[in-house]
């Protein structure tokens, strides 16, 4: 079996060295590029399975690299950013990035994000019909949600929201992406709808709605439906 | 412009009523005298006319006087000197009287006219001086260019009875000009009638643009008045610039001092975790000691904690520089406060394990319009502060409640030492620390950042020593408005579709 190929685009030599060492140790094949042009050329030549992209590159904005990659490729992109600004992350996600990490990050976190992104790109043909998180089971084919074997009654909108989150399990979804998908493009800015329905869903699904384990908010960015609570936490 | 080409005609038309009045009065006098029976003697008629000419010259100026004199001479000749209704003088005595009338008129008219106009000038100058004095008084207190321009424009307009006055102040061509106009802020279209520069020894500071109804050239005295006013205004602008430069110098000096304090504080703060990291890493790398598994874990945990501390410190520095630069613009949207707190607590999990937490922040509180990341930072800073000052093993309580559906009040209470009353306000100042700097880590920025963020959200933050009856000793409180742009979050129906 050929190893999974990861392309790291980052201008910091220390980061490239660290990621190359760690990811190679984890049985990935790693290529590195120090700027956007080189990264785009390598991506076209080597067709990596996943791209780790730094937002602050010397020759072009990471957002731009992201958009250029998306013109011809569906390769999963994980964005690294030192900017602690939620708007940059949201912009990258809205331009096709799959996930983000803010530097500095723990390596377990990065590996978890890589696993999720690879899982989703492998499923791109046909998604899992059944998503499990703790004792919650969401059957996307039969539109059925059970908790500890008991069916949970959801309204149509609640189900639509949960189904969208579950179909993208463990990935971060921006407020805008969720609102557009569930309520339609006209409601893309009505974050308060989302707040109210997430609150309802938590009441029906979470063991402790005050401290949600599955329907987790990413402040300023969006929501993540975690199938394994704690696996992605601690960033 | 059409206006300026018309103005010579208007100028003559303005004299027309005076001329007509003079002519009419002379005619009326002649007709009345002619009607009186028995007819008055010629000397009486001439004296009466002379009186009229004198009166008109002093009241309406020399043009009216001259008109009246000429009209009177013609009428006297026609009506009172035989042969009647003919331009002829037969008697030497009549001719002498007529010539005498014309001579006296021609000699006295200019004198009377000038007396009249100098009286008018004197009154005008007095009025102008009064205005100039008022202008100087009004300008004395002005420290801003916009106020100076406004004051100058309105005073000049009133003093000159001008149609419109525009004042443009632009001491620095690179900066946008300050423009004021009287009345109401719109200058008329077209070229102004007069342009007066605002000059100081340093150079041109701006211009005064005048639009006047008369269109006549400015008289000497009015010109002097405007130049005097312009001089005063230019001085006021200079004064304002000097005052501003001085304030700026003071601010720079203060910020310089702050930067020095910050640098020394920050380099100390950065070195402390770096020292730990360096020591731990070099120990692990050195082959001299073979560490057992537990010791290795201990050292690695220390490295990770210290990197988190470094990251937290850098984050606060960044936030502080944003606040300083006025770039802290909250991206407010409707949020669930409990979500923000949960995320923050998750982030601080490792650091906060030493204390017990008692949380009462319901997820059912009204949505609050805030910048999630910034309010997360406020929670992180307040919790970090409590973790630092309250001894390990004690409890930290975080509570939030809605007040009158207008405000969310949040408190973070701990069981740490109380703060002297006089310091309760000052702990939110930059670099202020109640205890000696070396005992507690942190650059003294955390609380001032909280203040910056909460105030940018339109809220208030304060600290309080709690009474002995409370299980806690010290608390931070802050408020957040529940309205965004004056609007409350619309009450959504309980998700029923």
């Amino acid at each position: 079996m050929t190893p999974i190929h990861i392309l790291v685009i980052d201008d910091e030599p220390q980061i490239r060295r660290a990621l190359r060492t760690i990811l190679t140790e984890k049985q990935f094949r790693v290529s590195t590029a120090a700027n956007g042009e080189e990264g785009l050329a390598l991506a076209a030549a080597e067709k990596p399975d996943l791209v780790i992209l730094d937002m602050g590159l010397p020759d072009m904005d990471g957002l731009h690299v992201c958009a250029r990659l998306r013109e011809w490729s569906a390769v999963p992109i994980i964005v690294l950013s030192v900017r602690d600004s939620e708007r940059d992350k949201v912009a990258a996600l809205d331009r096709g990035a799959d996930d983000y990490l803010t530097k500095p990050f723990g390596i377990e976190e990065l590996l978890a994000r890589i696993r999720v992104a690879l899982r989703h790109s492998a499923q791109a043909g046909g998604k899992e019909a059944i998503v499990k998180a703790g004792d919650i089971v969401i059957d996307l084919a039969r539109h059925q949600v059970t908790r500890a074997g008991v069916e949970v009654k959801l309204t149509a909108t609640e189900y639509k929201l949960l189904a969208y989150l579950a179909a993208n399990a463990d990935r971060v979804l921006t407020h805008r992406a969720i609102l557009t998908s569930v309520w339609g493009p006209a409601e893309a800015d009505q974050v308060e709808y989302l707040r109210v329905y997430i609150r309802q869903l938590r009441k029906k699904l979470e063991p402790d709605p005050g401290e949600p384990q599955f329907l987790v908010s990413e402040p300023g960015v969006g929501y993540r439906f975690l199938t394994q609570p704690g696996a992605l936490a601690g960033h | 412009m059409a206006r300026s080409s018309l103005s010579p005609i208007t100028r003559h038309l303005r004299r027309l009523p005076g001329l007509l009045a003079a002519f009419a009065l002379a005619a009326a006098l002649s007709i009345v005298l002619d009607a009186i029976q028995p007819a008055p003697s010629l000397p009486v008629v001439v004296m009466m006319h002379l009186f009229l000419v004198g009166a008109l010259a002093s009241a309406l100026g020399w043009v009216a006087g001259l008109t009246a004199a000429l009209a009177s001479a013609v009428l006297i000749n026609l009506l009172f000197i035989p042969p009647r209704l003919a331009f002829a003088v037969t008697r030497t005595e009549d001719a002498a009287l007529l010539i005498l009338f014309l001579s006296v008129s021609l000699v006295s008219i200019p004198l009377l006219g000038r007396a009249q106009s100098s009286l008018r000038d004197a009154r005008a100058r007095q009025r102008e001086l009064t205005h100039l004095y008022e202008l100087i008084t009004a300008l004395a207190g002005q420290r801003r260019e916009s106020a100076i321009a406004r004051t100058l424009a309105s005073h000049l307009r009133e003093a000159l009875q001008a149609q419109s006055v525009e004042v443009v102040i632009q001491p620095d061509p690179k900066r946008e000009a300050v423009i004021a106009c009287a009345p109401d802020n719109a200058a008329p279209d077209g070229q102004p009638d007069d342009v007066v520069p605002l000059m100081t020894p340093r150079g041109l500071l701006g211009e005064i643009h005048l639009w006047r109804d008369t269109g006549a050239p400015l008289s000497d005295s009015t010109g002097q008045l405007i130049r005097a006013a312009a001089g005063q205004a230019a001085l006021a602008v200079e004064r304002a610039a000097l005052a501003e430069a001085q304030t700026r110098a003071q601010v720079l000096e203060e910020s310089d001092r702050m930067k020095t304090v910050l640098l020394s504080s920050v380099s100390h703060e950065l070195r402390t975790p770096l020292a730990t990291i360096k020591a731990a890493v070099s120990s692990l790398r050195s082959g001299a000691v073979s560490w057992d598994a537990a010791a290795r874990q201990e050292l690695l945990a220390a490295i990770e904690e210290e990197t988190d501390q470094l990251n937290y410190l850098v984050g606060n520095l960044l936030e502080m520089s944003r606040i300083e630069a006025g770039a802290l613009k909250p991206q407010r949207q409707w949020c669930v406060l409990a979500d923000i707190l949960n995320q923050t607590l998750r982030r601080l999990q490792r650091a906060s394990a030493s204390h017990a937490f008692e949380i009462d922040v319901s997820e059912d509180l009204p949505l609050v319009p805030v910048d999630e990341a910034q309010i997360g930072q406020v929670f992180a800073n307040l919790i970090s502060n409590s973790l630092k000052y309250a001894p390990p093993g004690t409890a930290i309580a975080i509570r939030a409640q809605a007040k009158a559906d207008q405000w969310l009040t949040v408190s973070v209470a701990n069981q740490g030492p109380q703060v002297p009353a006089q310091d309760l306000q000052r702990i939110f100042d930059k670099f202020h620390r109640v205890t000696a700097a070396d005992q507690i880590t942190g650059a003294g920025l955390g609380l001032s950042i909280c203040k910056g963020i909460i105030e940018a959200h339109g809220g208030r933050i304060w600290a309080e020593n709690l009474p002995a009856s409370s299980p806690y000793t010290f608390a931070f409180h802050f408020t957040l408005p529940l309205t965004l742009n004056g609007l409350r979050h619309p009450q959504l129906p309980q998700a029923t579709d």
Side-chain angles (χ1 to χ4, degrees), chain A residues 103-235:
Chain A
K103 289 180 186 172
F105 49 83
I107 211 68
E108 285 308 319
E109 246 182 299
L110 176 63
L111 291 173
R113 299 284 154 92
I114 291 175
R115 273 196 302 274
V116 170
L118 289 173
R119 192 176 79 217
H120 279 281
S121 87
Q123 291 172 354
K127 298 251 175 194
E128 295 267 354
I130 293 180
V131 180
K132 288 182 190 164
D135 58 359
I136 304 165
V137 178
I138 301 157
D139 189 330
L140 295 171
R142 290 161 58 199
H143 288 214
Q144 200 183 48
V145 180
T146 58
R147 184 175 162 199
V150 182
E151 187 171 352
V152 181
K153 291 265 177 255
L154 297 180
T155 67
T157 307
E158 283 168 7
Y159 177 77
K160 216 172 157 189
L161 173 59
L162 181 64
Y164 182 64
L165 290 169
N168 293 284
D170 297 315
R171 284 168 86 179
V172 68
L173 295 167
T174 63
H175 295 135
R176 177 168 278 272
I178 303 171
L179 283 161
T180 307
S181 166
V182 178
W183 278 272
E187 318 287 342
D189 293 319
Q190 308 295 321
V191 180
E192 61 269 31
Y193 292 5
L194 202 44
R195 303 291 190 208
V196 171
Y197 279 87
I198 289 281
R199 187 186 287 176
Q200 292 300 116
L201 277 179
R202 281 175 177 165
K203 286 199 170 138
K204 294 186 181 180
L205 297 174
E206 292 279 356
D208 175 6
E211 211 171 308
Q213 306 291 309
F214 304 109
L215 292 158
V216 175
S217 166
E218 298 263 330
V221 179
Y223 287 94
R224 216 187 267 276
F225 181 72
L226 294 180
T227 51
Q228 289 164 297
L232 290 173
H235 61 94

Side-chain angles (χ1 to χ4, degrees), chain A residues 86-87 103-104 155-158 175 191-193 195-197 199-200 202-203 209-212 216-221 223 233-235, chain B residues 304 311 318 322 331 333-336 338-340 342-343 346-347 349 363-367 372-373 377 489-490 492-497:
Chain A
E86 273 52 38
R87 250 192 303 179
K103 289 180 186 172
T155 67
T157 307
E158 283 168 7
H175 295 135
V191 180
E192 61 269 31
Y193 292 5
R195 303 291 190 208
V196 171
Y197 279 87
R199 187 186 287 176
Q200 292 300 116
R202 281 175 177 165
K203 286 199 170 138
E211 211 171 308
V216 175
S217 166
E218 298 263 330
V221 179
Y223 287 94
H235 61 94
Chain B
E304 193 158 19
N311 190 36
L318 213 72
R322 274 188 207 143
Q331 303 288 312
Q333 52 173 214
W334 296 103
C335 296
V336 179
D339 267 358
I340 303 177
N342 279 333
Q343 277 298 324
R346 204 170 293 196
R347 203 144 48 91
Q349 224 163 27
E363 71 274 18
D364 289 326
L365 283 170
L367 295 181
E372 284 188 275
Q377 180 91 5
H489 162 240
L492 293 183
Q494 284 293 299
T496 51
D497 286 5

Side-chain angles (χ1 to χ4, degrees), chain B residues 229-258:
Chain B
Q232 287 301 324
L235 280 177
V237 172
E238 287 254 288
R239 244 190 344 254
L242 281 174
E244 200 190 303
Q246 197 184 357
T247 317
R248 214 178 305 138
Q250 275 167 359
V251 168
L252 274 179
E253 203 176 304
E254 175 66 4
S255 99
D256 232 34
R257 198 184 63 79
M258 290 297 241

